[in-house]
């Protein structure tokens, strides 16, 4: 297992420890690991899951950290 994989799993584990009522799939979306496809027309939302096959591990780690920062900042408001 690569170090990046371990970090992703540690971040996910920590999140789930703090949010035990969430389902695993919810955590994947809440941490931006999985995402819906982007849409250019807000009147026509796209609810298809975006293929993250091409995303490198560092990009996923960055998305997770950004989401965790956002969650923390919202708690402090």
């Amino acid at each position: 297992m690569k170090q990046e994989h371990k970090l992703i799993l540690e971040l996910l584990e920590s999140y789930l420890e703090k949010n035990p009522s969430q389902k695993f799939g919810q955590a994947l979306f809440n941490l931006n690991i999985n995402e819906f496809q982007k849409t250019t027309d807000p009147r026509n939302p796209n609810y298809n899951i975006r293929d993250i096959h091409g995303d490198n591990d560092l990009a996923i780690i960055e998305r997770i950290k950004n989401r965790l920062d956002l969650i923390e900042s919202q708690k402090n408001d």
Side-chain angles (χ1 to χ4, degrees):
M1 181 183 311
K2 297 186 328 185
Q3 284 303 112
E4 292 88 351
H5 297 164
K6 288 180 183 180
L7 181 55
I8 291 169
L9 290 173
E10 288 168 5
L11 290 167
L12 183 57
E13 179 182 27
S14 174
Y15 179 80
L16 286 169
E17 287 287 335
K18 294 176 184 173
N19 301 280
S21 65
Q22 287 194 4
K23 297 175 186 159
F24 191 81
Q26 286 175 295
L28 295 179
F29 273 99
N30 289 345
L31 293 177
N32 272 359
I33 295 171
N34 283 339
E35 301 176 303
F36 290 115
Q37 291 177 355
K38 305 282 188 242
T39 183
T40 55
D41 183 2
R43 295 170 293 160
N44 188 19
N46 186 346
Y47 296 112
N48 294 319
I49 295 175
R50 184 177 75 78
D51 182 3
I52 64 169
H53 175 76
D55 295 0
N56 69 44
D57 296 330
L58 293 175
I60 292 172
I61 291 168
E62 189 65 27
R63 284 201 309 262
I64 293 170
K65 287 183 175 182
N66 287 340
R67 179 59 72 152
L68 289 171
D69 287 346
L70 177 65
I71 292 168
E72 265 315 297
S73 71
Q74 289 175 338
K75 287 181 181 177
N76 296 328
D77 287 345

